[in-house]
Amino acid sequence: MADTLRRLTNTSSFSVLQDKLEIWHHDYHVLSCDQNLNRCCELIELTAKIQGQLFAILNLAAAEGGHYAGVDTLKTRLLPWLGTCFSMARPSVTDDTSLQLIQDSAEKDRRIRELSISHENDMQKLETQLCSTRLQMDSVKAELADAQKELDQTKSKSATTLLATEDEILQLKADLRSAHEEVEIYKRKLEDIDDYERQIHLLKDEVSYLSAEKAMLRERLVRSRSPSPLPRLSRSSSPIRSESPTRAQLTNSSRQARLISRFSDLYAVERLEAQTMLRRYIADLEMVQKIIFIAVVESFRTAKLAYRQFKLRVRKTLSPSHFGPESLEDAAVDYIVRNLDLYDVQASVNDVINAMNVNPRISFPPEVDFVLINSLIKEACRVSFAMQTLDPPLDLAFASDGELYNDSKYRRSYDSEFTAPLVMYHVWPALMEGNVVIVKGEAVTRRGALWSRSRSRSRSVSPVRSRSLSPTRSLAFNSNRSLSPERLTASHL
């Protein structure tokens, strides 16, 4: 009996039963109905096992007391309790097995408690980490809010700076506009200064002309006062020119040198600029050089025609009121030299462009216009018009493709065949004074020039280029074609 009681004490069955009751009480409202029933059945089984052990101890205790020991206790306590129809079947397992099961159950309960304790510890750790994470999140949110505030401040500062920058830009634009206006004012002043210098130059020429005329008059006066009679001059001795030279005659050499230098500058500067401009649209260098050559030739031809027409108008205007020692021809030339700015150069430029538009030797992209080389044509017309006022006038040498190369009139281009005797095409015309070459031109010489020329003629039976100006452009071109009669008034003469 003592061993059985000891084993029952060591298994701590009642403490396990108490713990299970407390756990069930704690989790009763959480568990489902089936789980609560299972817990209750488990407690009933455990209680039955403990009661079986107690009944075994009761039997052993009664056996140790003999036949009559403990009878009163059994009668007064056990029998009434049994009378309540409560009976406990003897377990089907042995006492040792029952105790072993109780120990296993106690061990499982202990492990469950340890696991629950460790789970609670883990939960506490997780809660601690969660609290720390929340604190970190709060700090990050605070930093984010501070960063947002700084960003808003930076945006406001940037907007203020941008407004200030826009104000500065507007101010700079206003300053730039005022600077452009000042530049325009200075340009106009420079133009006025150039006009003043030109007028001073003209006045100096007039002074030199008047000084020469004064000297001649003094010489005539001295001769008239001398005792020897002067030979009478007949009209036939100088039918065209008078004895007193005009301003055009006095400045002829200087103007000739200046115009020859300007013609050389046309070749060295304006020609290269026009060639660079045309090469953007035409890949063929030969065609570009032909276009420039034809433009210069047409400019000289148009300027000579404009000079003759202008000279006729000047003579017609001066003839009613002309009197003086010089002839009407000299007076007209002198007037043109003094008033070269009355030449309507834009009308000549328009005529040159119109002539080039119908030239069958030129192949030009239809989407581009010859206005690209407007500066070259304008300067060539001005130079040609001024050369007609010289005595004798300067003109371009006649040139045709396939002609015999003349070393005195032209120099060969760098890509020429230096043994070829014929000219393939011309790059720049030669400048002539009568039959004397003043400035050499440039030509390209290659073998087979006549054959290639005949082929180009056969191919150009129909015009290569048919360019017609729109009505608006033709009206714009013809608006300034001729000098209006009002420009040749007595105020200009």
Side-chain angles (χ1 to χ4, degrees):
M1 188 270 298
D3 294 334
T4 303
L5 183 61
R6 186 175 59 254
R7 286 196 300 271
L8 183 62
T9 303
N10 293 332
T11 55
S12 302
S13 300
F14 290 98
S15 61
V16 171
L17 180 62
Q18 183 65 31
D19 292 337
K20 285 184 176 292
L21 284 172
E22 291 178 358
I23 293 172
W24 185 26
H25 180 265
H26 183 268
D27 298 336
Y28 180 80
H29 297 285
V30 180
L31 299 176
S32 63
C33 179
D34 294 335
Q35 291 176 348
N36 287 326
L37 292 176
N38 290 327
R39 290 286 182 91
C40 183
C41 292
E42 182 181 358
L43 290 175
I44 290 172
E45 291 176 356
L46 184 61
T47 304
K49 291 177 183 180
I50 294 172
Q51 285 180 355
Q53 295 293 328
L54 290 175
F55 274 108
I57 294 172
L58 180 63
N59 291 328
L60 292 175
E64 288 178 356
H67 292 281
Y68 300 104
V71 174
D72 295 332
T73 302
L74 292 174
K75 289 180 179 181
T76 58
R77 298 195 64 179
L78 180 62
L79 291 177
W81 181 71
L82 292 175
T84 59
C85 298
F86 180 81
S87 62
M88 181 66 186
R90 184 175 180 86
S92 59
V93 295
T94 61
D95 296 337
D96 296 334
T97 304
S98 178
L99 293 175
Q100 184 65 31
L101 290 174
I102 292 173
Q103 289 179 356
D104 293 339
S105 177
E107 183 68 22
K108 289 180 181 180
D109 292 338
R110 184 179 60 79
R111 289 180 181 178
I112 290 172
R113 285 195 299 274
E114 291 177 355
L115 290 174
S116 63
I117 293 171
S118 63
H119 177 68
E120 290 178 358
N121 293 331
D122 294 337
M123 291 294 294
Q124 290 179 357
K125 290 180 180 179
L126 290 175
E127 288 179 357
T128 305
Q129 292 179 359
L130 181 61
C131 292
S132 62
T133 305
R134 286 177 179 175
L135 293 175
Q136 292 178 359
M137 287 180 62
D138 294 336
S139 63
V140 171
K141 286 181 179 179
E143 292 178 357
L144 183 60
D146 295 337
Q148 186 67 31
K149 291 181 181 178
E150 292 179 358
L151 181 60
D152 295 336
Q153 294 177 358
T154 305
K155 284 183 179 179
S156 61
K157 290 181 181 179
S158 300
T160 306
T161 307
L162 182 60
L163 293 175
T165 306
E166 289 180 354
D167 295 336
E168 292 178 358
I169 290 173
L170 293 175
Q171 183 64 32
L172 290 174
K173 286 183 178 179
D175 295 340
L176 182 61
R177 195 180 303 109
S178 61
H180 282 305
E181 292 176 355
E182 291 180 357
V183 168
E184 293 296 331
I185 294 172
Y186 289 143
K187 284 183 178 178
R188 288 195 292 270
K189 289 183 179 180
L190 288 175
E191 291 177 357
D192 296 337
I193 292 173
D194 293 336
D195 294 337
Y196 292 151
E197 290 180 353
R198 186 168 59 252
Q199 292 178 5
I200 290 171
H201 184 67
L202 294 175
L203 291 175
K204 286 182 180 179
D205 293 340
E206 290 180 358
V207 168
S208 61
Y209 164 70
L210 292 175
S211 300
E213 190 174 359
K214 180 180 178 182
M216 293 182 65
L217 290 175
R218 283 183 178 180
E219 185 178 356
R220 287 183 184 179
L221 183 61
V222 171
R223 289 180 181 178
S224 63
R225 291 179 180 179
S226 62
S228 59
L230 292 175
R232 184 174 295 178
L233 297 175
S234 62
R235 290 179 180 269
S236 61
S237 61
S238 58
I240 299 177
R241 298 191 181 279
S242 61
E243 293 182 357
S244 57
T246 61
R247 177 181 179 276
Q249 296 169 4
L250 290 173
T251 61
N252 187 74
S253 60
S254 61
R255 288 189 294 112
Q256 181 182 12
R258 186 173 69 252
L259 290 173
I260 291 173
S261 175
R262 187 70 190 98
F263 183 79
S264 300
D265 292 339
L266 281 176
Y267 171 78
V269 180
E270 278 81 357
R271 180 187 70 89
L272 296 179
E273 292 179 354
Q275 180 173 316
T276 303
M277 183 67 68
L278 291 176
R279 286 302 296 274
R280 297 179 183 175
Y281 307 97
I282 304 176
D284 188 7
L285 179 60
E286 177 180 344
M287 181 54 62
V288 170
Q289 292 175 344
K290 285 183 179 180
I291 289 173
I292 294 174
F293 177 78
I294 292 173
V296 175
V297 173
E298 288 291 339
S299 299
F300 269 74
R301 183 188 63 79
T302 306
K304 286 192 295 182
L305 179 60
Y307 174 78
R308 286 195 293 268
Q309 295 174 354
F310 188 73
K311 187 176 180 182
L312 288 175
R313 291 196 298 270
V314 172
R315 290 182 62 181
K316 185 177 179 180
T317 305
L318 293 178
S319 58
S321 61
H322 173 69
F323 64 91
E326 72 276 3
S327 63
L328 181 60
E329 185 77 15
D330 293 339
V333 175
D334 188 66
Y335 175 81
I336 295 173
V337 171
R338 292 171 182 267
N339 300 277
L340 288 175
D341 55 339
L342 296 179
Y343 168 48
D344 191 3
V345 65
Q346 187 59 44
S348 297
V349 172
N350 297 337
D351 291 338
V352 172
I353 293 177
N354 292 334
M356 294 179 68
N357 283 331
V358 297
N359 195 318
R361 298 172 54 196
I362 299 176
S363 177
F364 199 64
E367 67 273 6
V368 192
D369 202 277
F370 286 114
V371 180
L372 290 173
I373 55 175
N374 182 62
S375 59
L376 173 66
I377 297 174
K378 184 179 292 185
E379 290 301 320
C381 290
R382 285 176 178 170
V383 171
S384 176
F385 188 87
M387 284 181 176
Q388 306 309 309
T389 63
L390 299 175
D391 186 25
L394 301 180
D395 199 0
L396 299 181
F398 176 77
S400 63
D401 295 344
E403 66 177 337
L404 187 64
Y405 175 74
N406 189 352
D407 189 59
S408 62
K409 290 172 58 177
Y410 301 102
R411 58 177 176 273
R412 301 178 193 266
S413 61
Y414 69 94
D415 55 347
S416 298
E417 296 180 4
F418 288 89
T419 58
L422 300 180
V423 175
M424 182 75 175
Y425 64 92
H426 297 80
V427 178
W428 191 254
L431 187 64
M432 306 284 291
E433 183 182 4
N435 295 326
V436 180
V437 178
I438 302 299
V439 179
K440 281 187 177 184
E442 184 177 347
V444 178
T445 58
R446 290 174 188 167
R447 295 190 178 276
L450 285 175
W451 179 76
S452 59
R453 181 187 177 192
S454 63
R455 285 193 60 189
S456 63
R457 284 184 177 178
S458 64
R459 286 197 303 267
S460 62
V461 173
S462 61
V464 178
R465 167 185 171 82
S466 176
R467 297 173 58 89
S468 60
L469 298 176
S470 61
T472 56
R473 292 179 63 187
S474 61
L475 288 174
F477 283 161
N478 295 327
S479 60
N480 295 321
R481 289 185 63 84
S482 60
L483 183 66
S484 60
E486 290 78 4
R487 297 184 69 180
L488 289 174
T489 56
S491 60
H492 294 92
L493 299 177

